[in-house]
Amino acid sequence: MNLHGLEKSRLPTHVAIIMDGNGRWARLRGKSRLEGHREGTAAVRATVELSRDLGIRYLSLYAFSSENWNRPHDEVEGLMALLESYLECERERMMREGIRLMAIGDRKRLPVSVRRVLDQNIDLTRHNTAITVILALSYSGRDDIVRTVRDIARKVKEGEYDLPEIDESLVAAHTETGCIPDPDLLIRTSGEMRISNFFLWQIPYTELYITPTLWPDFSKRQYIEALLEFQRRQRRFGKTDEQILRG
Ligand code: FPP
């Protein structure tokens, strides 16, 4: 396998991506925003493919935030149609390449036709083991936390847990990503320096990589650059560098 100069043993287990800049990419070319999103789909394919080939275990893609419902009706409708056709077209590849699909977010808000194909793909791919791709759809990091709090509060009320049992691991297990390790690397394209209500609980020690590249231009080469930069970082998790070097 070509590792492109990357150290296999130091690859991130979980990469999360805020795919931003489709609209600007389109505007720069005099195209519609939807054409930007369409082009963004090709970058999604390439990113999933490289992640899988490198052996990255989890890839989370922020495809549609709760706040994105407030975009113009045509754009939302176009994005949903794009998502549906992406999921239909990719089903065979997911099975061939061992890709397991998961989704997080408020799926109830998605159009029935999108939900149907999403659920089908999730169900069909549930035993695949090469990589897990997590699509964040109608997702909000704060909603995730609110839902988690409600869930735990209800269980305390029903006597399932005592207050002292509530610790970080119990809270983490109740979030939407309960069964998935925290991201090691969070990539954001288009140069914006914010998290935009993506993972909030999940990223206390995640390495951030922000590139000015607009999402449709985010190539495999650029992804490799991000991974190389990740491997140059020293992750200290609050410790000193002497402690880390001593092991
Ligand atoms: C942000 O760019 C991008 C989105 C809101 C949608 C992301 C969707 C895709 C990449 C394609 C479909 C997804 C999948 C999983 C097939 P923006 O529109 O905010 O760009 P701008 O900030 O330049 O306007």
Side-chain angles (χ1 to χ4, degrees), residues 11-213:
L11 280 168
T13 301
H14 182 177
V15 176
I17 307 186
I18 301 177
M19 309 180 289
D20 192 17
N22 295 350
R24 272 162 286 173
W25 182 93
R27 195 172 58 232
L28 284 167
R29 289 162 181 77
K31 297 179 181 219
S32 71
R33 293 182 57 82
L34 206 54
E35 282 175 277
H37 295 314
R38 198 168 295 125
E39 200 63 29
T41 306
V44 169
R45 274 197 193 93
T47 305
V48 170
E49 187 174 71
L50 182 59
S51 302
R52 181 210 170 272
D53 290 351
L54 288 172
I56 288 168
R57 308 295 309 156
Y58 299 94
L59 174 69
S60 291
L61 299 171
Y62 199 18
F64 196 84
S65 73
S66 298
E67 291 76 19
N68 287 153
W69 291 114
N70 299 321
R71 291 195 172 197
H73 179 73
D74 283 0
E75 182 172 347
V76 171
E77 210 173 63
L79 263 169
M80 290 299 138
L82 208 55
L83 196 60
E84 192 179 328
S85 71
Y86 169 83
L87 289 167
E88 257 157 19
C89 294
E90 290 304 292
R91 185 176 295 152
E92 207 184 293
R93 187 201 306 263
M94 286 179 186
M95 290 312 291
R96 201 175 51 239
E97 300 189 351
I99 298 166
R100 175 168 73 136
L101 184 73
M102 284 180 62
I104 54 172
D106 187 1
R107 278 196 261 171
K108 290 190 304 299
R109 291 187 76 181
L110 299 172
V112 176
S113 57
V114 174
R115 233 184 305 158
R116 190 181 310 121
V117 60
L118 184 64
D119 289 345
Q120 281 169 354
N121 284 19
I122 290 171
D123 192 45
L124 196 70
T125 63
R126 69 188 187 284
H127 298 304
N128 290 349
T129 55
I131 184 173
T132 300
V133 174
I134 301 121
L135 288 185
L137 296 168
S138 190
Y139 181 82
S140 143
R142 281 199 161 180
D143 274 359
D144 194 358
I145 292 171
V146 169
R147 206 197 35 74
T148 298
V149 171
R150 277 203 200 118
D151 206 11
I152 296 173
R154 184 179 46 75
K155 289 182 180 175
V156 169
K157 203 169 145 198
E158 289 169 357
E160 194 174 330
Y161 298 124
D162 285 332
L163 281 186
E165 286 179 86
I166 300 175
D167 59 10
E168 282 194 20
S169 66
L170 187 121
V171 174
H174 282 78
T175 63
E176 287 217 64
T177 51
C179 53
I180 297 162
D182 286 343
D184 304 288
L185 172 66
L186 172 65
I187 298 172
R188 179 169 189 147
T189 57
S190 96
E192 308 288 355
M193 303 284 180
R194 53 178 172 264
I195 301 298
S196 299
N197 209 0
F198 191 24
F199 289 146
L200 298 178
W201 168 269
Q202 292 85 347
I203 57 166
Y205 280 104
T206 298
E207 294 296 323
L208 306 180
Y209 180 88
I210 296 170
T211 167
T213 302

